[in-house]
Amino acid sequence: MKGAGPAIECEAVSRRFGERLALDRLTLSVERGEVLGLLGPNGSGKTTTLRILATLLQPHAGTARILSWDVARQPMEVRRSIGVMPERPSLYDRQTVEANVRFWAEAHQLPDAAIAVARALAFAGVADRREDLVGSLSKGLKQRVALARAIVHRPPVLLLDEPSSGLDPSAAAAMEGLIRDLAREGTAVLLNTHRLAEAERLCDRVAILREGRLLQLGTPLQVRAALLGHIVEVELAGVVDAPVRRAVESFPAVREVWWGASALRCRLLNAERDTPDLVARLVSAGARIVAVRPAGDLERAYLELMSQPLPGSLAA
Ligand SMILES: Nc1ncnc2c1ncn2[C@@H]1O[C@H](COP(=O)(O)OP(=O)(O)OP(=O)(O)O)[C@@H](O)[C@H]1O
């Protein structure tokens, strides 16, 4: 491993296909142990970003680095450091699960390939299917094999293109759990997804692209707050009484408040910073809190962003 900087870095990375600018000066970074989700409509540049980082495409401008290795100038070092799960992993259907993963372990010239393969299969939950032909597996199991193959050399960086695409809810949840486990062990994960609820649960931060441009980058909470306002909803076990009203209305961070019989919504100056203090004030005013949640979700924030004119476009 090299350098102490971010595990994944893009600095003003651009890529054209003919006249079309697929990626427009993208700048972002992913730390070790972090999961960053790339979101955006079809054709917004998500796969292009992953392919550049995986050394499969050259950037036309800017710099992309994995563990400080430049993807354009040091592709071999980059390839050793990354695990890649393409959207359609090209597994060998006529070979067993184990043979598919072993092939990659050998390609990486791992000294203890058998141990590495066994560990990767166990981690991905397909050890009991190691003798089965990949062609006989369900889509979810194939995705798990693809993940086992991507991690067999224990790469510090993972690039995953729609890892849960086509999976049923339980299989998708299992995939989410595996990705979180890898991040907990220190792996930096950059993934593409169209599943916004999944991104909200799984990703430490999300980046929203549109027409190759980065429009939002932050925690799901920050992105929601930026697009939907810093609105928090609180549900109480009993009715709203005078001390509770006073506690909220005297809190300087509250810009606006809407009262329900046993609930309130308020706009805070900064939801991330002020929600804990709001809760503390409510509790000391005797409120019995059932739920506190930011209003809206990442999906609403995303749709709001997509309904706005693109900054710099004629309509903006
Ligand atoms: N090999 C290629 N040749 C020509 N154009 C390409 C190529 N790869 C991507 N593009 C174009 O670049 C743009 C970005 O494509 P990209 O695949 O990165 O989008 P995406 O955000 O991953 O989309 P999706 O959500 O549909 O997977 C699109 O306009 C696409 O048509």
Side-chain angles (χ1 to χ4, degrees):
M1 202 177 296
K2 181 173 167 260
I8 304 173
E9 281 175 283
C10 289
E11 255 178 54
V13 172
S14 297
R15 170 75 204 199
R16 290 187 173 278
F17 292 104
E19 289 296 290
R20 189 183 299 278
L21 190 54
L23 211 54
D24 187 1
R25 292 161 293 166
L26 176 69
T27 296
L28 55 76
S29 60
V30 187
E31 301 295 331
R32 292 167 174 82
E34 185 181 30
V35 180
L36 182 83
L38 284 177
L39 314 177
N42 297 129
S44 55
K46 305 181 300 294
T47 299
T48 301
T49 305
L50 290 189
R51 297 193 73 213
I52 288 173
L53 289 165
T55 74
L56 302 172
L57 270 182
Q58 289 275 343
H60 287 153
T63 312
R65 295 187 205 91
I66 299 283
L67 304 178
S68 305
W69 304 112
D70 186 303
V71 297
R73 288 187 286 116
Q74 293 153 311
M76 292 317 293
E77 288 83 352
V78 168
R79 280 176 213 157
R80 272 197 289 274
S81 312
I82 58 175
V84 181
M85 191 169 153
E87 192 192 347
R88 276 177 224 86
S90 44
L91 297 166
Y92 300 107
D93 275 354
R94 290 193 212 150
Q95 291 199 12
T96 64
V97 166
E98 186 168 32
N100 267 273
V101 179
R102 195 173 54 231
F103 177 83
W104 279 89
E106 284 163 5
H108 280 288
Q109 300 175 328
L110 299 183
D112 290 317
I115 294 172
V117 171
R119 198 177 44 218
L121 294 177
F123 176 83
V126 284
D128 59 334
R129 308 297 293 260
R130 64 182 168 273
E131 304 291 333
D132 294 1
L133 294 182
V134 162
S136 72
L137 300 181
S138 70
K139 167 123 187 157
L141 289 170
K142 280 186 187 167
Q143 296 280 85
R144 285 167 178 258
V145 177
L147 183 67
R149 189 180 70 175
I151 61 166
V152 71
H153 55 303
R154 303 192 112 186
V157 172
L158 268 181
L159 306 171
L160 310 175
D161 201 347
E162 300 192 35
S164 59
S165 140
L167 300 190
D168 70 47
S170 325
M175 181 59 77
E176 249 179 62
L178 294 175
I179 293 169
R180 280 269 32 127
D181 287 347
L182 288 161
R184 242 187 312 276
E185 288 168 13
T187 309
V189 183
L190 181 62
L191 61 87
N192 289 354
T193 183
H194 287 293
R195 296 186 179 214
L196 298 172
E198 173 185 273
E200 189 148 28
R201 284 189 302 268
L202 172 62
C203 299
D204 298 298
R205 287 186 303 145
V206 293
I208 307 185
L209 300 180
R210 190 168 157 200
E211 296 186 23
R213 287 160 63 180
L214 179 64
L215 298 188
Q216 285 285 332
L217 176 64
T219 65
L221 186 62
Q222 287 166 344
V223 169
R224 267 195 323 240
L227 292 162
L228 302 176
H230 294 257
I231 296 176
V232 174
E233 295 170 344
V234 183
E235 263 180 55
L236 305 175
V239 290
V240 170
D241 58 16
V244 165
R245 273 180 185 265
R246 269 199 304 278
V248 175
E249 284 166 356
S250 66
F251 184 23
V254 171
R255 311 312 293 157
E256 242 181 312
V257 55
W258 302 268
W259 294 102
S262 57
L264 62 113
R265 294 178 89 216
C266 60
R267 184 188 299 281
L268 296 168
L269 276 177
N270 180 322
E272 202 170 7
R273 186 195 60 200
D274 303 325
T275 302
D277 292 337
L278 175 72
V279 170
R281 280 170 169 257
L282 284 166
V283 169
S284 41
R288 294 177 58 234
I289 297 172
V290 176
V292 181
R293 55 182 161 258
D297 53 15
L298 189 61
E299 180 160 354
R300 250 191 71 199
Y302 174 93
L303 294 173
E304 171 62 30
L305 183 63
M306 293 308 145
S307 72
Q308 297 171 2
L310 198 59
S313 70
L314 285 178

